[in-house]
Amino acid sequence: MKTDIEIAQEAVMLPVREVAGQLGIGEDDLELYGRYKAKLSEDYLKSIEKNEDGKLILVTAINPTPAGEGKTTISVGLGQALGKLGKKSVTALREPSLGPCFGIKGGAAGGGYSQVVPMEDINLHFTGDFHAITSANNLLAALLDNHIQQGNALGIDTRQIVWKRCVDMNDRVLRNIVIGIGNKTDGVVREDHFVISVATEIMAILCLAEDMEDLKKRLGRVIVAYNFDGEPVTAKDLQAVGAMAALLKDALKPNLVQTLEHTPVLVHGGPFANIAHGCNSVRATKAALKMADYVVTEAGFGADLGAEKFFDIKCRMTGLKPSAVVLVATVRALKYNGGVEKAQLSSPDLAALKKGIKNLEKHIENLQKFGVPVVVALNSFVADTEEEVAFIREFCEKKNCAFALAEVWEKGGAGGLALASKVLDTIERNESDFTLLYRDELSLKEKIETIAREIYGAGSVAYSQAAVRTLGQLKRQGFDKFPVCMAKTQYSLSDDPKLLGRPEHFELMVREIYVSAGAGFVVVLTGNVMTMPGLPKEPAANRIDVDKAGNITGLF
């Protein structure tokens, strides 16, 4: 059986000019990065602003397991299938992070015969967007420390610096460091921290900004520290906004690539969903809606994280209204939630499936709370039995949501025709009555507890003393009307990654809270979730290589 990278490397790609031509985009509207990658020009983005919006389809999933669910594969396959049905469609996805590529998760460009290409480029440096984000973040950190070194005219309290440096790599030793060691000219000695680039506020800002003007306003509001009077010090106070915006000028433009079947894909932005808000850029999504009749987009990790944030943060801020949600599941993942070990998942086990399907049930119920029609896509594996598939189909229909079997990994767009038809039929028959989970007027505490209770199934929420103090501080500073971005393990509905299935009546532990004033939300850290991941014992990087001809191997 061929690997994903072997399939991608054997693909015959169209020049990106021809892919763009399918959408009526001329070569003058593109900024080319070689033959197969391009950015959409600002002039083109302005030219389509008055076009009618297409229908927005969100793809999400149950909680991820070691068995794999294939959410991006389904997103890509659905876009290909819509193309086969003669529909004008665009898929809008996030850019992969280097951290997972070299860590344990691997790449994020789909799989099998439902991939976005050039696969290696997209998973590695691509068009340099992440490097620009990392540079802008670290420029602000450098300007902050330089200001302190050069006399500290803003009266910054070095014990209350909240801005962190970043790198797009899983590097646990950088979580907590000491800087400024050496001579007096080497800076002020203080504790500092690194986060992974995809968890930074700069990434969130880039993905939520409508245009350059909005980007600069958001950058200006970024809080880097507090002064000795307890007042916030911002990037604008440090006169950092212009230089940061200059670094992000090109990164703000969406990237155009293609699937293995040459359907157009916008890949832009990449915040993590277990830490950040987990959605591709607003600019890419809105552009896609002006370019096509149907737009397929995805939100990171399970629906308790990515979909909730897509709705309550991205849609809240932009007015986007999805027409349908595709919820991805697999027989294997549901059996894993039912207690089956990974090595035994290929064996039929209807009893475990009946137990594990509670996870799917909770996600269906959660999505229905937002008033959007739901289609469950069962990603097909060769070991699935007819009895297992029939059980899931019947379960979904009893839960008042549509069901379709997807074979897009093996068959590409042809394997997604049943899913695409079901999605189109669902959109045609069911008017989306999209609603947010909570109102802006609620307190931060009420928002946190609404998500914990309604989405996670928690019985109560406990707060550390530091979190309680921060809640009071944010209210006094006027940030209490912001939406909340919950940082939580992706592996469980709870904050304990070992609680599989559908845990109920548990206590959710909030240990830290901070405001991302530029992004426009408050981040709530629960459990032991880390903003800087570490590498596993056997990193994927150990298997990646380049041959004499320059072909990359081992990337998956």
Side-chain angles (χ1 to χ4, degrees):
M1 184 179 295
K2 294 178 181 177
T3 64
D4 289 346
I5 194 169
E6 288 172 338
I7 293 171
Q9 289 174 340
E10 291 176 1
V12 178
M13 292 183 282
L14 291 179
V16 71
R17 297 188 300 272
E18 295 182 28
V19 178
Q22 299 174 29
L23 298 167
I25 303 173
E27 188 170 349
D28 290 342
D29 296 321
L30 301 175
E31 297 177 5
L32 299 174
Y33 283 67
R35 295 189 67 195
Y36 306 113
K37 301 170 290 183
K39 282 186 172 289
L40 301 178
S41 72
E42 291 293 343
D43 287 342
Y44 173 73
L45 293 172
K46 290 178 182 176
S47 73
I48 61 174
E49 285 178 348
K50 294 183 179 179
N51 290 1
E52 186 176 348
D53 283 342
K55 302 288 187 181
L56 183 59
I57 303 161
L58 174 67
V59 179
T60 185
I62 62 173
N63 293 98
T65 70
E69 288 64 58
K71 174 163 51 64
T72 304
T73 302
I74 293 292
S75 299
V76 176
L78 175 57
Q80 292 179 151
L82 288 168
K84 283 188 173 297
L85 291 174
K87 304 299 181 182
K88 189 178 182 182
S89 71
V90 171
T91 303
L93 303 174
R94 295 175 300 158
E95 299 179 48
S97 164
L98 291 177
C101 283
F102 296 128
I104 194 169
K105 186 173 179 289
Y113 290 91
S114 290
Q115 293 190 61
V116 184
V117 287
M119 180 263 216
E120 305 100 301
D121 292 8
I122 293 168
N123 278 309
L124 299 177
H125 299 288
F126 200 23
T127 57
D129 293 346
F130 282 20
H131 299 306
I133 289 165
T134 300
S135 298
N137 183 98
N138 293 341
L139 170 63
L140 180 55
L143 290 171
L144 167 63
D145 282 305
N146 183 64
H147 179 88
I148 296 169
Q149 174 74 6
Q150 302 293 351
N152 197 8
L154 293 172
I156 294 169
D157 184 349
T158 56
R159 298 164 301 178
Q160 296 191 75
I161 292 175
V162 295
W163 193 249
K164 299 176 175 66
R165 288 170 162 82
C166 75
V167 63
D168 192 35
M169 201 63 63
N170 293 2
D171 195 350
R172 60 172 57 84
V173 300
L174 293 177
R175 289 172 185 161
N176 304 291
I177 62 172
V178 176
I179 62 172
I181 296 175
N183 297 319
K184 186 176 181 180
T185 56
D186 295 326
V188 175
V189 177
R190 67 176 182 87
E191 183 180 354
D192 201 2
H193 313 271
F194 270 76
V195 298
I196 192 166
S197 298
V198 284
T200 63
E201 186 174 358
I202 303 301
M203 175 65 80
I205 286 173
L206 182 100
C207 289
L208 291 169
E210 299 274 358
D211 50 31
M212 177 57 74
E213 183 180 6
D214 186 31
L215 177 77
K216 292 174 74 173
K217 287 180 180 177
R218 290 175 179 273
L219 290 174
R221 295 196 298 263
V222 168
I223 296 174
V224 297
Y226 293 87
N227 64 21
F228 290 110
D229 294 326
E231 298 168 340
V233 178
T234 66
K236 183 178 181 180
D237 295 330
L238 289 170
Q239 302 178 50
V241 174
M244 293 169 71
L247 285 171
L248 297 170
K249 177 179 70 72
D250 292 328
L252 190 59
K253 302 168 187 174
N255 306 296
L256 176 66
V257 284
Q258 63 191 290
T259 69
L260 291 174
E261 298 178 8
H262 314 308
T263 54
V265 184
L266 297 183
V267 179
H268 194 220
F272 274 180
N274 61 338
I275 305 169
H277 74 286
C279 308
N280 71 295
S281 77
V282 167
R283 295 200 96 197
T285 303
K286 286 196 167 184
L289 287 168
K290 299 295 185 183
M291 294 159 61
D293 297 325
Y294 295 93
V295 174
V296 179
T297 191
E298 70 170 6
F301 291 128
D304 55 320
L305 289 168
E308 186 274 319
K309 295 172 184 178
F310 180 91
F311 295 142
D312 282 324
I313 296 177
K314 185 172 180 176
C315 292
R316 182 188 301 271
M317 292 184 181
T318 60
L320 292 171
K321 294 184 177 180
S323 297
V325 178
V326 174
L327 177 59
V328 180
T330 67
V331 172
R332 294 161 55 85
L334 292 174
K335 288 192 290 191
Y336 184 85
N337 270 280
V340 177
E341 296 293 330
K342 182 180 177 181
Q344 304 300 320
L345 291 174
S346 295
S347 302
D349 194 333
L350 194 59
L353 181 59
K354 290 179 178 179
K355 182 180 178 182
I357 206 166
K358 291 290 184 180
N359 187 265
L360 175 64
E361 177 184 48
K362 178 58 174 167
H363 287 295
I364 291 172
E365 292 173 2
N366 286 349
L367 293 170
Q368 289 174 337
K369 292 175 182 178
F370 292 95
V372 184
V374 180
V375 179
V376 171
L378 189 67
N379 195 4
S380 177
F381 282 74
V382 67
D384 300 347
T385 68
E386 291 184 9
E387 185 180 21
E388 289 170 330
V389 172
F391 171 74
I392 297 171
R393 182 192 301 273
E394 183 179 349
F395 181 89
C396 293
E397 290 170 352
K398 287 181 178 178
K399 297 296 294 184
N400 195 31
C401 69
F403 173 91
L405 191 65
E407 301 174 289
V408 296
W409 188 92
E410 179 186 5
K411 301 177 182 178
L417 292 176
L419 173 60
S421 297
K422 186 66 70 172
V423 169
L424 293 172
D425 181 66
T426 298
I427 291 174
E428 183 70 25
R429 292 174 177 269
N430 302 275
E431 186 72 26
S432 176
D433 187 24
F434 175 65
T435 185
L436 299 170
L437 184 67
Y438 54 82
R439 305 187 313 276
D440 291 335
E441 293 74 25
L442 293 181
S443 69
L444 290 173
K445 193 167 183 285
E446 288 172 320
K447 291 167 185 171
I448 293 167
E449 292 174 7
T450 297
I451 295 172
R453 182 179 64 254
E454 296 292 329
I455 302 300
Y456 306 157
S460 61
V461 179
Y463 300 85
S464 69
Q465 290 184 349
V468 171
R469 286 195 299 270
T470 304
L471 284 173
Q473 180 185 35
L474 294 179
K475 183 177 182 179
R476 291 191 297 273
Q477 293 172 340
F479 296 122
D480 56 319
K481 302 310 176 191
F482 276 10
V484 295
C485 180
M486 302 292 286
K488 180 183 73 67
T489 178
Q490 64 269 32
Y491 299 114
S492 171
L493 285 159
S494 73
D495 57 354
D496 180 353
K498 296 180 181 179
L499 290 181
L500 303 181
R502 183 176 182 169
E504 294 180 300
H505 310 303
F506 56 88
E507 181 179 77
L508 185 79
M509 182 63 201
V510 173
R511 61 180 174 87
E512 184 180 347
I513 300 173
Y514 60 87
V515 64
S516 292
F521 53 66
V522 170
V523 181
V524 179
L525 274 65
T526 70
N528 295 317
V529 67
M530 293 289 184
T531 54
M532 169 54 82
L535 291 171
K537 187 174 182 179
E538 296 182 8
N542 293 352
R543 300 184 293 274
I544 296 174
D545 201 357
V546 184
D547 64 20
K548 292 181 180 179
N551 298 310
I552 294 174
T553 59
L555 187 63
F556 65 99

